[in-house]
Amino acid sequence: MPKRSIRDLDLKGKTVFIRVDFNVPLAPGGQEITSDKRIRASLPTIQYALDQGAGLILASHLGRPKGKANPEMSLKPVAARLTQLLGRPVAMAPDCVGPEVEKMRPGAGQILLLENLRFHAEEEKNDPGFSKQLAALCDVYVNDAFGSAHREHASTVGMIPFVREAASGLLMDKELEYLTKATKNPDRPCVAILGGAKVSDKIEVIENLMKVVDELLIGGAMAYTFLKAQGKPVGKSLVEDDKLDLAKELLARSGKTILLPLDHVVVDELKEGAPFEVVANVPEGKMGVDIGPATVQAYCAVIAKAKTIIWNGPMGVFEKPPFDRGTVALAKAVAASGAVSVVGGGDSEKAIKSAGVADKISHISTGGGASMEFLAGIELPGVAALPEK
Ligand code: AMP
C-alpha cells in the first residue's frame, strides 16, 4: 500500500513540520557548505508546501554532535544557503525545542529552520517526551528525509503518533516509487550490478536481490571472495576468508543468477599509474583492481537487454584511473540501455558522475545507508511509521 503523500493533504494555513535531510558536508570549522545537493533535493517539497499556503518548520540533523550543542555542526550555514536558493528569508531557530522556538511559529509563506536535532541526545534515543515537544510545534508532519529513514529517531519515527496528520514528502515519494518498483515488480529482464570492497557489507543485499533479479553481475573486490570460493586463483586480491563458505553457499543457491568476472586488470601494487596487465586468472603475487575487457563485454551484453537495472558499488578501484575503466564502461552501458536504472548512493553515485552519465540514470538515491537497507529487503522504520493512503 503506498504511503499518504504531502499531495494528499490540505496544507492551507497549517504549520507543516518537514523532516528534511540537511546533513550536508561542511569544510573544517563548520561555516562553509561544500555540497548543497541535499538542500536542493528537498526544494520541490518545500516549494510545494509554500505554494499550498503553509508555514514551514524544517528540521534535520547534521553530523554527529553526540547530544551536545556544537557550533561547528550548526545548521546556520544551511539557513543562509536555503535563503539564497528560495529567494526568501529563512529564519534560524536557536534550538529545536523549547519556549524560544515555540514563540517563533511561522505564518503562511514563512520558513523556520530548527537547530540541529542531534544537539539533544533524546533525538537518537527516540525519547517520547522530546518527540511530544517536536510534535507540539506543528499541525502536520512530513518526512522527506529518505537518507535518515533507516533510523528510528524522534524526528523520523517517535513524533508521528503525537501529530494530527502525517505524510511523506515528494523526495521520499520518488525514492520509494523507484526502489519499490525495481525490487518488487520490476520490468524484466531485471539486472543488478553489485561491486565495492566487501561481500560482508552486502550479504543481505545479495540474498534479497537474488530472489528478485534475473541476473546479478558481480565486480569489485567482492568478486574475489566468490572466485576463491570456486577454487579459482586470486593472488593477493582483497578477499574475506571468513566469508568463503557463505560465498559458496550463495553461489550454489543462486543457480545461474550470479555472474562473476571472466578476466581482470591486475597490478603488483595498488597505486595510481601502476603498470598493469589483463589476465584470465589472477597470478600469484598480483592483485585484481578492475574487471577486464572480456568481462566488460559480457556484462554490457546483459545490461543492453535489461529493462530494469539496480546498481550498487564500483567494479574496481575507480578512484585510481585507469582502474576506473570497467566501472565507466558499465555506467555508459547502463545509460545507453534505455532501462529504468536505480543507483544506490555514495561511491556508486561518484562512479556514475565520473563516467559523465548521471543525467541518463532514472534515479540516483539520496540515501546511501537507507537505500542499502531497502535493497536488502529491510523495512525502513521511518517509512513503516508513516500512515498509508
Ligand atoms: P563500497 O563502499 O563497498 O561500495 O566500496 C567501494 C570501494 O571499493 C572503493 O573505494 C573501491 O576502490 C573499492 N574497490 C573496488 N574494487 C576493488 C578491488 N578490486 N580491490 C580493492 N578495492 C576495490
Side-chain angles (χ1 to χ4, degrees):
M1 208 33 189
K3 295 292 171 177
R4 187 178 303 156
S5 162
I6 188 169
R7 290 191 196 278
D8 301 321
L9 304 181
D10 177 11
L11 304 180
K12 196 170 170 38
K14 307 253 176 79
T15 305
V16 179
F17 181 109
I18 309 181
R19 174 51 162 108
V20 283
D21 179 5
F22 285 164
N23 185 25
V24 292
L26 294 173
Q31 300 302 312
E32 194 201 326
I33 297 168
T34 53
S35 164
D36 64 1
K37 191 186 74 183
R38 288 189 167 145
I39 306 177
R40 287 176 189 273
S42 69
L43 292 178
T45 301
I46 293 172
Q47 199 58 59
Y48 176 83
L50 289 171
D51 292 347
Q52 298 297 306
L56 305 191
I57 295 177
L58 306 179
S60 178
H61 76 280
L62 201 176
R64 297 205 164 109
K66 303 208 168 102
K68 282 200 206 91
N70 178 343
E72 291 194 3
M73 293 178 205
S74 168
L75 280 156
K76 274 185 200 144
V78 175
R81 179 63 60 91
L82 195 55
T83 300
Q84 282 170 357
L85 291 171
L86 289 169
R88 62 166 92 200
V90 175
M92 184 68 214
D95 200 346
C96 59
V97 288
E100 286 287 298
V101 180
E102 282 158 26
K103 274 189 252 159
M104 296 177 82
R105 198 174 176 106
Q110 293 177 338
I111 307 167
L112 175 67
L113 175 60
L114 301 185
E115 188 51 284
N116 195 337
L117 292 158
R118 290 195 191 164
F119 284 179
H120 292 259
E122 294 90 340
E123 159 68 357
E124 289 180 85
K125 288 189 189 138
N126 193 12
D127 176 79
F130 183 71
S131 297
K132 271 187 203 162
Q133 279 185 289
L134 290 174
L137 297 172
C138 68
D139 304 311
V140 175
Y141 167 88
V142 170
N143 191 350
D144 210 25
F146 178 75
S148 301
H150 57 316
R151 306 281 183 222
E152 194 168 342
H153 294 167
S155 67
T156 56
V157 173
M159 64 186 283
I160 296 178
F162 303 117
V163 295
R164 262 159 275 173
E165 286 186 291
S168 56
L170 302 180
L171 174 62
M172 180 74 92
D173 287 348
K174 188 166 169 246
E175 292 274 7
L176 295 179
E177 187 191 320
Y178 275 101
L179 287 163
T180 305
K181 169 88 176 124
T183 55
K184 302 274 191 298
N185 179 26
D187 293 336
R188 293 189 183 277
C190 175
V191 173
I193 308 168
L194 287 183
K198 291 186 183 161
V199 179
S200 52
D201 290 343
K202 296 184 187 171
I203 293 166
E204 287 93 351
V205 175
I206 296 170
E207 288 192 310
N208 190 48
L209 290 183
M210 256 165 48
K211 292 184 245 158
V212 177
V213 303
D214 300 296
E215 274 164 303
L216 207 168
L217 313 179
I218 302 249
M222 74 153 86
Y224 297 105
T225 301
F226 284 103
L227 289 167
K228 188 166 179 182
Q230 282 185 331
K232 303 249 169 76
V234 295
K236 57 175 186 183
S237 307
L238 211 62
V239 166
E240 287 173 277
D241 281 311
D242 60 333
K243 294 289 177 281
L244 290 174
D245 287 342
L246 178 81
K248 222 178 269 177
E249 197 237 314
L250 289 173
L251 287 169
R253 254 202 289 150
S254 83
K256 290 192 183 137
T257 311
I258 291 185
L259 303 192
L260 295 172
L262 305 168
D263 61 348
H264 314 269
V265 175
V266 297
V267 294
D268 288 326
E269 206 188 341
L270 178 53
K271 59 173 195 230
E272 206 153 329
F276 62 88
E277 58 184 315
V278 173
V279 294
N281 289 304
V282 183
E284 195 67 27
K286 301 264 184 188
M287 174 183 196
V289 288
D290 195 9
I291 54 174
T295 311
V296 167
Q297 204 182 3
Y299 285 7
C300 286
V302 172
I303 290 167
K305 288 196 210 120
K307 292 275 184 298
T308 304
I309 298 166
I310 302 166
W311 187 346
N312 190 289
M315 296 291 101
V317 186
F318 77 106
E319 306 94 329
K320 292 191 170 57
F323 313 129
D324 60 343
R325 281 186 193 159
T327 303
V328 169
L330 261 55
K332 289 188 174 154
V334 170
S337 69
V340 172
S341 48
V342 180
V343 172
D347 271 335
S348 323
E349 180 181 357
K350 274 191 221 144
I352 293 286
K353 290 210 166 129
S354 73
V357 296
D359 60 335
K360 300 250 172 33
I361 302 300
S362 316
H363 182 65
I364 299 179
S365 179
T366 54
S371 71
M372 284 286 284
E373 290 199 14
F374 195 103
L375 293 179
I378 299 166
E379 188 170 43
L380 306 177
V383 176
L386 291 170
E388 290 178 349
K389 266 205 199 291

